[in-house]
Amino acid sequence: MVYTAKKWIYARAFGGEPKLDNFCLEEEIMPDIREGEFLAKAEYLSVDPYMRIYILSYPIGSVMIGGQIAQVLESKHPEFPVGAYVFGQFGWRTYAICNPTGIATRKPYVLPDFGVLPRSLGIGTLGTVGNSAYFGFLEVCRPKSGETVVVSGAAGAVGNIVGQIGKIKGCKVIGLAGSDVKCRWLEEIGFDYAINYKTTDIGEELLKAAPEGVDCYFDNVGGEISAIVKKQMRHFGRIACCGTISMYNGSPIQVEDPQRDFVSKQLVQEGFSVHRWTDRWFEGIEQNLKWINEGNLKYRETITEGFENMPLAFIEMMKGGNIGKAIVAVE
């Protein structure tokens, strides 16, 4: 059978915020698969902030990068049988051919059984996003019961999960988000406080919410917001740097150097990539799945219908238009 893939190309270099003319839709007839390969059809595709930065290392004309959930249609690989649903970094395309041999840290894998839960969680709470929260927060921040945790970008895909895990671990959790709607949702899912960074003085509100100071900071945004939070860290506080989305669309925001806080308060700050924990990947998925089934971890998705709307979904996500994980459903 002949399969014709649609694919979104990185057609023009970004200048500031992404725009529709940065992308171009093309088609490609898929070749026959070879030994060790499988062909899969996309069902759900992910749009994430990291794509804005990572694609810059690729030449113009490359397929946009990203993960997806896809169903195996043809296979010459015993670990990826026909009919199986897989997660893979196949890019913005409707069909993909993959040879897993030689892929080290971002190997495709067959999705575990989610029971009655939607498969789309495989690119959200039960995938890379959930593992970023699980490992990044627990391994880097090392939260203790009774401590105070601040999460920036708290209504985003990773941030909301971090906050909920913080509550599971017995912490006071404060979320920073960009609208009253997002703040209300954070409080609904268990955050102790939610601060709208666009309409309030973050420093003043944070002092009210955490007069004793901050023990753990999970940083998704960088920039001015993070500089403010770091000033209110307690001695021996821990900071996990997951992203710097405030700087992705242009020049970094110039803020006062917080270096002296790191010295005087003896803080620990660590950047991380979730693929550091590839060898424990399913531990994170299984634990997050258990918490969902127990009712301790809630999820939310912002789903855009139609592969043709990939660029629009990406642009809206980069503007903060999503609550929870931003996903595109192919059909």
Side-chain angles (χ1 to χ4, degrees), residues 131-179:
N131 278 354
S132 295
Y134 177 82
F135 290 111
F137 181 50
L138 296 181
E139 298 288 330
V140 178
C141 284
R142 305 182 303 281
K144 303 178 184 67
S145 181
E147 290 190 323
T148 297
V149 174
V150 171
V151 185
S152 59
V158 175
N160 84 87
I161 302 172
V162 170
Q164 293 183 79
I165 294 175
K167 293 304 299 177
I168 291 170
K169 295 299 180 179
C171 300
K172 177 198 285 187
V173 178
I174 302 165
L176 308 179
S179 74

Side-chain angles (χ1 to χ4, degrees), residues 88-135:
Q89 296 287 340
F90 304 147
W92 291 15
R93 53 186 305 133
T94 54
Y95 293 93
I97 292 175
C98 177
N99 185 338
T101 304
I103 300 177
T105 60
R106 296 176 181 241
K107 278 184 174 293
Y109 56 87
V110 175
L111 290 183
D113 183 8
F114 295 164
V116 299
L117 297 173
R119 268 193 304 272
S120 54
L121 291 180
I123 50 176
T125 307
L126 300 179
T128 302
V129 165
N131 278 354
S132 295
Y134 177 82
F135 290 111

Side-chain angles (χ1 to χ4, degrees), residues 317-329:
M317 179 273 306
M318 289 298 295
K319 292 179 179 178
N322 61 298
I323 298 179
K325 183 71 187 79
I327 294 171
V328 173

Side-chain angles (χ1 to χ4, degrees), residues 137-262:
F137 181 50
L138 296 181
E139 298 288 330
V140 178
C141 284
R142 305 182 303 281
K144 303 178 184 67
S145 181
E147 290 190 323
T148 297
V149 174
V150 171
V151 185
S152 59
V158 175
N160 84 87
I161 302 172
V162 170
Q164 293 183 79
I165 294 175
K167 293 304 299 177
I168 291 170
K169 295 299 180 179
C171 300
K172 177 198 285 187
V173 178
I174 302 165
L176 308 179
S179 74
D180 290 340
V181 171
K182 291 181 178 181
C183 287
R184 285 194 295 272
W185 178 64
L186 292 177
E187 292 173 347
E188 288 172 6
I189 63 174
F191 280 62
D192 296 286
Y193 298 92
I195 299 172
N196 186 338
Y197 67 83
K198 291 184 178 180
T199 60
T200 64
D201 184 308
I202 301 171
E204 289 184 4
E205 293 302 314
L206 190 55
L207 190 60
K208 293 176 186 176
E212 71 284 0
V214 176
D215 299 289
C216 300
Y217 175 40
F218 195 94
D219 185 5
N220 286 305
V221 302
E224 186 175 9
I225 289 175
S226 292
I228 293 170
V229 175
K230 289 169 185 177
K231 284 187 171 298
Q232 299 199 29
M233 297 290 295
R234 299 181 68 187
H235 283 73
F236 309 110
R238 289 86 67 200
I239 303 168
C241 297
C242 184
T244 55
I245 192 171
S246 70
M247 304 178 185
Y248 285 176
N249 284 331
S251 300
I253 299 170
Q254 298 301 312
V255 296
E256 181 182 352
D257 183 4
Q259 188 68 22
R260 63 173 177 265
D261 290 318
F262 278 86

Side-chain angles (χ1 to χ4, degrees), residues 78-89:
E79 296 180 14
F80 296 88
V82 171
Y85 287 90
V86 301
F87 173 84
Q89 296 287 340

